Amino acid sequence: MPAQVLTDVRLFVVGADLTSTSNKVELSSEAEERDRTTYGSGGWKQVQGGLRSSTVTAEGLWEAGDPGLVDDATWAQLGGTGPWTVCPHLATVGSLAYLTQALRTDYTLGGTVGDLAPWSGNASGSGVTARGQIAHPPGTARSSNGSGTALQLGAVPDGRSIYAALHVLSVAGTTPSLTVRIESDDNAGFTTATTRATFTAATGLGGQALSVPGPVTDDWWRVAWTVSGTTPSFAFVAALGLA
């Protein structure tokens, strides 16, 4: 991916698409520096990585009045932990995505007279931040069973995992239900697909996260879904990443 001018960053927080109300998103990750200098270090300081952490900072234009808008969504999430997915460039299948579980720590709104009403907020990662890809895009509503595009994320060695985030952004119908599962295979055609993990059935807006621990020798991954209810329809985003 060449150098980017940030014009189409996508931000998904639990069950809300905050793209249209955000104009700044920053994701940072770091590892603590621990001193391991000994008398045998030859007079040079030696360091080792310790605990890792991540934070997400975002801001934009305030909106309220719907569960998917920033004010309603943030008040529902404040002090709680849920999935965050950040895409530096679009959110089509295969787009680069960073996904994490994060604690919504603060929320600021309001400004001076004449301003477009702003908002800002921060979230602290609560667990792994993974680098991966979008496995299901936000703009395609699903009303029947199906499966997504195969992504070659790679085999999962022992000690690492595939991490998955699900954001359910809109729901319609009578008694609708959406169950999304993570599948793997050793070929792009998924001729012998194996279900590795399944999200809890979703009946409304919200977000979930799960992981598939290694070792897994399959290197192809996808999401698949089951939809039920009377005239159901779901818009959702799914992201997968190896960490």
Side-chain angles (χ1 to χ4, degrees), residues 8-19:
D8 45 24
V9 174
R10 301 299 303 267
L11 174 62
F12 307 98
V13 181
V14 191
D17 180 354
L18 299 186
T19 304

Side-chain angles (χ1 to χ4, degrees), residues 82-107:
W84 289 57
T85 299
V86 180
C87 302
H89 176 60
L90 302 176
T92 55
V93 172
S95 292
L96 177 62
Y98 297 89
L99 51 150
T100 189
Q101 280 269 82
L103 172 69
R104 177 75 93 149
T105 56
D106 65 78
Y107 175 54

